[in-house]
Amino acid sequence: MRSRMNKKTKAILRFAAAALIGVSLSGCYPPPPEYAETELILQRRASLKENLLLMLPENMRQETAAREEAQWIADTAYKAAAAIARQYDSNFPGWAGNYLVNSRLQNRGLCWQYQHDLYRELRRKKLTYYSLGCCVRDQGKRSEHNCVFVYPKHSGWPTAWVLDGWPWNGRLQAFDAWSLRPDRWQERDYTAVLLNDIYPEGHNMPMEHWMHVRADRRWYEFAVFGMPGHYQDSWWPGTWFSAQYGDMLHNITEGSKQHPNTAFRY
């Protein structure tokens, strides 16, 4: 009798665990357009604004222009991260989403793609008090993770706030860089240099534009050897006939219809 009860209990626990996983994953659909205006996210936007201001010298914090700039960064970060997730259209967060991209079942959703796209959106305004950067955790390892960070122009990494839209499908996470482990987290300045060249401050590139596009590779390189897709700059001729490049052009065309007269939709 005890054995049968144990089997029943185990079956119930397995079912409950599967249901919990299912609910968790189904709850990670991209945030709806109204997400950024909910009471919780409005509070988080206000909190990020104040945290950005605290990094400035005390005599600057009350300047109207500084407060407006910090507010714009905070608002745009939360709104853009959610809009980027809707653009990716993935219902699986983090590493689960990575599997879909690496299996070529989905175009985008890797952490560095969130990094590039969020950076692109935050370059739409010329900043006076702050600058943007790119950072990486565990560079070169399987656990590598890439994010955007914001820092005062008079300072630099790690006096910064890290912005990460990847783990929960565009539900932005913001955390300070100075409390991170320096042996795991570093600035990735060459990525920022490249992104700055493609997306100058005040740019008007469509949010559907991807800096890097996956070029086609022979199927067995991926299927047999498990090699990841090969990414190249979007202007590189080797990408022009790839399916992903075609998807990008299609998204840009459709985006111009969905949000005419503006480069973004959030």
Side-chain angles (χ1 to χ4, degrees):
M1 183 67 175
R2 181 177 298 175
S3 177
R4 286 198 298 272
M5 287 295 292
N6 286 341
K7 288 181 180 179
K8 287 182 180 179
T9 301
K10 289 179 181 178
I12 292 172
L13 289 175
R14 283 195 294 267
F15 176 80
L20 180 61
I21 292 172
V23 170
S24 297
L25 292 180
S26 65
C28 275
Y29 52 83
E34 61 272 17
Y35 164 82
E37 303 300 328
T38 61
E39 183 177 355
L40 175 63
I41 303 308
L42 288 173
Q43 292 173 358
R44 290 180 179 176
R45 285 161 53 181
S47 177
L48 178 56
K49 169 193 172 182
E50 293 305 319
N51 285 326
L52 292 174
L53 288 169
L54 286 174
M55 292 192 298
L56 296 178
E58 191 170 358
N59 64 320
M60 288 186 182
R61 295 174 193 169
Q62 298 305 318
E63 293 182 15
T64 300
R67 299 189 67 82
E68 289 177 348
E69 187 166 293
Q71 185 72 70
W72 181 87
I73 293 171
D75 292 345
T76 302
Y78 277 95
K79 292 178 181 180
I84 290 165
R86 291 194 293 271
Q87 178 75 29
Y88 293 166
D89 194 27
S90 174
N91 289 325
F92 294 89
W95 295 108
N98 281 11
Y99 177 80
L100 295 180
V101 178
N102 290 330
S103 300
R104 299 198 178 194
L105 298 174
Q106 182 176 304
N107 276 330
R108 298 177 69 76
L110 303 177
C111 65
W112 64 263
Q113 292 167 337
Y114 269 99
Q115 177 196 59
H116 287 191
D117 289 354
L118 183 56
Y119 197 99
R120 178 196 62 224
E121 297 309 302
L122 289 169
R123 290 279 287 177
R124 294 194 182 280
K125 181 181 177 67
K126 293 184 178 181
L127 301 178
T128 301
Y129 297 88
Y130 299 94
S131 292
L132 305 175
C134 293
C135 56
V136 59
R137 182 196 69 200
D138 298 338
Q139 185 171 0
K141 300 179 181 179
R142 291 180 63 87
S143 57
E144 179 177 309
H145 184 50
N146 295 275
C147 302
V148 173
F149 68 88
V150 183
Y151 64 99
K153 286 201 171 180
H154 72 277
S155 183
W157 180 267
T159 303
W161 275 83
V162 179
L163 308 176
D164 187 3
W166 172 79
W168 296 109
N169 269 14
R171 292 162 176 81
L172 189 76
Q173 295 183 359
F175 46 93
D176 64 89
W178 55 86
S179 63
L180 300 175
R181 287 177 51 178
D183 60 323
R184 297 190 65 190
W185 287 84
Q186 295 89 34
E187 181 178 6
R188 199 165 193 167
D189 52 358
Y190 63 86
T191 300
V193 170
L194 181 59
L195 287 165
N196 289 345
D197 184 52
I198 303 302
Y199 305 117
E201 282 192 318
H203 77 90
N204 201 38
M205 290 285 282
M207 70 172 293
E208 292 82 7
H209 180 269
W210 308 332
M211 187 185 77
H212 282 159
V213 172
R214 182 177 55 235
D216 289 332
R217 300 186 70 160
R218 289 168 292 185
W219 69 270
Y220 61 81
E221 290 184 347
F222 181 83
V224 178
F225 299 106
M227 297 176 67
H230 181 54
Y231 287 84
Q232 294 177 317
D233 294 330
S234 60
W235 63 81
W236 189 254
T239 68
W240 293 350
F241 301 100
S242 68
Q244 195 189 37
Y245 188 84
D247 289 345
M248 181 184 75
L249 294 182
H250 173 75
N251 287 347
I252 291 174
T253 300
E254 290 302 309
S256 66
K257 298 176 184 177
Q258 296 170 13
H259 47 93
N261 304 317
T262 179
F264 54 90
R265 52 177 175 191
Y266 51 83

